[in-house]
Amino acid sequence: MPLNPWALIAVVLVAVPAYYLGSRTSRFAGSTQDFLVARRAVRSRRNAAAVSGEFLSAASFLGVAGIVLKEGADGLWYPIGFTAGFLALMLFVAAPLRRSGAYTLPDFLQARLGSVLVRRFATTFMVLTGVVYLVPQMQGAGLAVSTVLRVPTWVGAVGVTVLVLINVLGGMRAITLVQAFQFWVKLFAISVPAFVLCAVFVSGGQAGPAGALSSPEPPVFADKTSVELQTDVTLKVTTLTPVWVQAPGAKSEHLEAWATGTTVRVPKATRLTFQAGTPVPVVTDATSNNADWLRPGSGGLPDMLRTYSLLIALFFGTMGLPHVVVRYYTNPDGKAARRTTAHVVLLLGLFYLFPTMLGAMARMYVPQLLVTNQTDAAVLWLPPTMLPGVAGQVVGAVVMAGAFAAFLSTSSGLLVGVAGLLSTDVFRGRASHFRIAAAIVAVVGAAMAATLQPTDVSTTVGMSLALAASTFAPLLVLGVWWRGLTWPGALAGMTIGGSLVLAALGVYAANLFAGRPSAWFILQPALITVPAGFMLTILVSLATRGGRPANMNAIMLRLHAPDPLGFMRDRTPTRLGQVTERRRTGHGRHRK
């Protein structure tokens, strides 16, 4: 893709307001309450925009279109699951979480179960979840910046890390307004290009150069096309495919004929050239034929099991994400927390219409991404491909602005969430400790993003959601609604669920390094790990009835009593693992 000078202007137009808003609001952040929960005074509508802003990550802005390009109808479960996760959060835990008065999820578990050991394990797993979620954001930033500005991928990761670190030094109070602003930037940056490119598509006869989606055959190269691989790929070939291959370091290319029904391993830095009319070979985890692409569940039983596993991870995983859960402690009361979640569902439903449309168009206009395994860049490639010239560059710059906002907002939320955990559970909870923790997490995330082999953003994010669902969903659902939950049961369920997901993640990384495909239960283990976590938590709790806190009645009353009754107590950290509580005044009223 040619260099786009407009993209640099767009990035600056996003970065400067973000820096200004973050630095301005940082001046008013001085207490621990400011850094962790923004004084618990964020209005529900602003909080909904901030939650949506930090949740719509690279997996949403880039990954949804990329997964639709690769998998078609099966890829639609990602935006559905992302949105449904907040529905589960609203129905089961949003208001009780806020009424608990906690300031982090581990703090809630300590207040509910009376165990410092459970708190420490929860902190460990939440930090791991946050880091696993942060790495693909940094890698997505590197991919986007290198695609549009022709710089090394590590430049984008480091640039985003520096800017995010500056923004989060003021804590939760500083980034709330920034993330709300960035949501509207992302909605504008995905919707306007979608409308423009749809108009181009309709005026062009409703069929792309790679063929119409209604055609059952694979997409084809409309012109002679050369691609250079950025990573090792394994391609599956559906028809006899002639291709000119230039091996890494070679000065000339040679002709090969890939046989029907074979898979071909192609190393990084190889240059492939296909003639016009050649069917597009695709990476092994993509759908080849348009007929299968349009039909959900075309992969048989393994595909069905993987889909159910994905839905479980997305549905239950949202309530365990550190940057999402901490937002609910910033609301004034439980009613505001529910209202916030209802607004989030509406905002996400509106947003996800547009990357889905762009992913479908990408299959007709940029099928070469199915060869290079860079499908996450589909929304960046579409504008200059469909609109050659300055118009395409301007539209592409708008998309780049939204992508950059996605990296900033989600990375900011993750840094604040994880830094808040470390500052209170590892350090002593002071403002300076928050800043130190944020710097440590930022450096670790950027280093991992630069050294690990990149993969689909949606796949990596799905693994982090599976980790969150397997560790925290049983504790939250049972902790809020079941009086019989004990601290040994919580510890056992969290440990087994988290360990199984981490084992699957290790096998997936080893297979990726060796170029081997992974089974569905490795890619999406939640169908096994989440029920295992729930079951073990219940069984161990039934066997250890003495592990329940003595003040169970008071705890459950606080979680479920309506806000105007005044049972809510806000917990404030004083030093490691210890809190003070203050009674809330008023009758639970708040501004919208």
Side-chain angles (χ1 to χ4, degrees):
M1 189 169 68
L3 180 66
N4 186 354
W6 297 94
L8 183 59
I9 299 175
V11 168
V12 172
L13 290 177
V14 171
V16 170
Y19 170 75
Y20 171 76
L21 292 174
S23 60
R24 181 176 178 82
T25 51
S26 294
R27 302 173 189 173
F28 306 102
S31 67
T32 303
Q33 289 283 326
D34 289 331
F35 280 88
L36 297 182
V37 291
R39 295 190 180 179
R40 305 187 190 271
V42 182
R43 293 175 293 171
S44 56
R45 290 177 181 172
R46 176 175 291 182
N47 210 20
V51 171
S52 303
E54 67 182 2
F55 184 75
L56 293 173
S57 61
S60 296
F61 199 92
L62 300 179
V64 167
I67 208 72
V68 170
L69 166 60
K70 289 178 68 171
E71 299 184 8
D74 286 332
L76 297 177
W77 291 116
Y78 278 90
I80 292 173
F82 286 146
T83 307
F86 281 93
L87 181 61
L89 192 58
M90 179 177 66
L91 292 176
F92 299 126
V93 299
L97 267 182
R98 177 59 191 95
R99 294 190 189 114
S100 70
Y103 53 91
T104 62
L105 184 53
D107 183 52
F108 165 78
L109 294 176
Q110 181 185 3
R112 169 62 180 84
L113 299 170
S115 171
V116 176
L117 182 61
V118 170
R119 178 181 182 136
R120 289 172 177 169
F121 269 74
T123 299
T124 301
F125 279 112
M126 186 149 277
V127 170
L128 286 174
T129 303
V131 172
V132 171
Y133 205 102
L134 180 63
V135 170
Q137 312 309 317
M138 301 299 186
Q139 291 180 332
L143 172 64
V145 174
S146 65
T147 299
V148 178
L149 300 180
R150 294 291 185 88
V151 295
T153 55
W154 63 266
V155 173
V158 173
V160 168
T161 301
V162 171
L163 186 57
V164 165
L165 190 57
I166 293 173
N167 275 339
V168 306
L169 291 181
M172 182 64 72
R173 189 173 182 183
I175 68 166
T176 296
L177 184 60
V178 176
Q179 290 175 329
F181 161 75
Q182 287 169 340
F183 167 75
W184 298 110
V185 170
K186 284 183 278 190
L187 184 60
F188 174 84
I190 197 73
S191 60
V192 171
F195 282 119
V196 172
L197 297 181
C198 280
V200 174
F201 170 67
V202 172
S203 64
Q206 302 183 14
L213 295 179
S214 57
S215 172
E217 302 300 323
V220 299
F221 293 106
D223 302 301
K224 182 179 179 181
T225 303
S226 296
V227 296
E228 185 169 344
L229 304 180
Q230 302 300 315
T231 59
D232 299 338
V233 298
T234 302
L235 302 174
K236 56 183 178 182
V237 184
T238 56
T239 60
L240 181 64
T241 303
V243 55
W244 289 90
V245 180
Q246 184 175 350
K251 296 182 179 180
S252 60
E253 56 185 12
H254 62 278
L255 179 64
E256 293 185 4
W258 293 346
T260 304
T262 60
T263 58
V264 182
R265 175 75 173 171
V266 186
K268 175 183 177 180
T270 301
R271 185 177 182 85
L272 304 176
T273 302
F274 302 91
Q275 298 300 319
T278 304
V280 179
V282 302
V283 289
T284 51
D285 57 341
T287 304
S288 301
N289 298 322
N290 287 339
D292 295 333
W293 186 85
L294 288 170
R295 186 174 67 251
S298 58
L301 181 61
D303 250 13
M304 184 184 70
L305 294 174
R306 180 185 174 188
T307 298
Y308 280 119
S309 188
L310 172 67
L311 288 176
I312 290 174
L314 299 181
F315 192 76
F316 288 104
T318 304
M319 65 181 65
L321 294 178
H323 62 304
V324 171
V325 175
V326 72
R327 275 277 162 210
Y328 288 90
Y329 303 128
T330 67
N331 284 121
D333 51 38
K335 182 180 179 180
R338 285 196 306 269
R339 190 188 298 272
T340 293
T341 315
H343 290 161
V344 169
V345 172
L346 295 175
L347 294 177
L348 294 185
L350 174 62
F351 177 89
Y352 281 125
L353 293 173
F354 303 109
T356 302
M357 296 164 55
L358 295 176
M361 284 191 287
R363 193 167 178 93
M364 296 182 287
Y365 286 89
V366 286
Q368 63 268 30
L369 298 179
L370 294 168
V371 179
T372 61
N373 201 26
Q374 289 186 310
T375 51
D376 287 332
V379 296
L380 302 173
W381 278 77
L382 268 176
T385 302
M386 297 181 66
L387 275 174
V390 176
Q393 290 184 342
V394 172
V395 175
V398 173
V399 174
M400 183 60 188
F404 200 74
F407 308 137
L408 289 180
S409 58
T410 303
S411 301
S412 299
L414 287 166
L415 275 184
V416 168
V418 177
L421 291 171
L422 294 177
S423 64
T424 56
D425 285 31
V426 176
F427 300 109
R428 292 287 178 174
R430 301 191 182 98
S432 59
H433 296 157
F434 177 90
R435 295 188 175 100
I436 294 172
I440 293 173
V441 176
V443 171
V444 171
M448 292 179 65
T451 55
L452 295 179
Q453 180 177 346
T455 183
D456 287 341
V457 175
S458 295
T459 300
T460 310
V461 167
M463 293 289 287
S464 61
L465 283 164
L467 180 59
S470 304
T471 50
F472 298 113
L475 274 61
L476 285 170
V477 175
L478 297 175
V480 169
W481 297 103
W482 186 42
R483 298 168 59 89
L485 179 66
T486 65
W487 72 262
L491 188 63
M494 179 169 51
T495 302
I496 190 64
S499 299
L500 289 174
V501 175
L502 291 176
L505 185 60
V507 174
Y508 170 71
N511 288 344
L512 185 67
F513 180 79
R516 297 189 301 264
S518 295
W520 69 266
F521 52 84
I522 298 299
L523 292 169
Q524 297 294 344
L527 186 61
I528 299 172
T529 58
V530 173
F534 270 99
M535 185 178 300
L536 192 61
T537 300
I538 294 172
L539 292 177
V540 175
S541 294
L542 291 175
T544 57
R545 297 181 186 273
R548 287 181 289 181
N551 59 338
M552 174 61 65
N553 291 334
I555 293 173
M556 298 305 286
L557 182 63
R558 179 185 301 183
L559 294 181
H560 296 285
D563 299 323
L565 296 181
F567 286 99
M568 186 163 56
R569 304 287 190 277
D570 285 340
R571 294 163 61 86
T572 303
T574 56
R575 61 189 182 90
L576 183 64
Q578 298 186 9
V579 296
T580 58
E581 293 185 349
R582 60 183 178 88
R583 184 183 182 89
R584 286 188 57 84
T585 58
H587 301 285
R589 299 183 62 185
H590 65 280
R591 294 184 296 168
K592 296 181 180 180

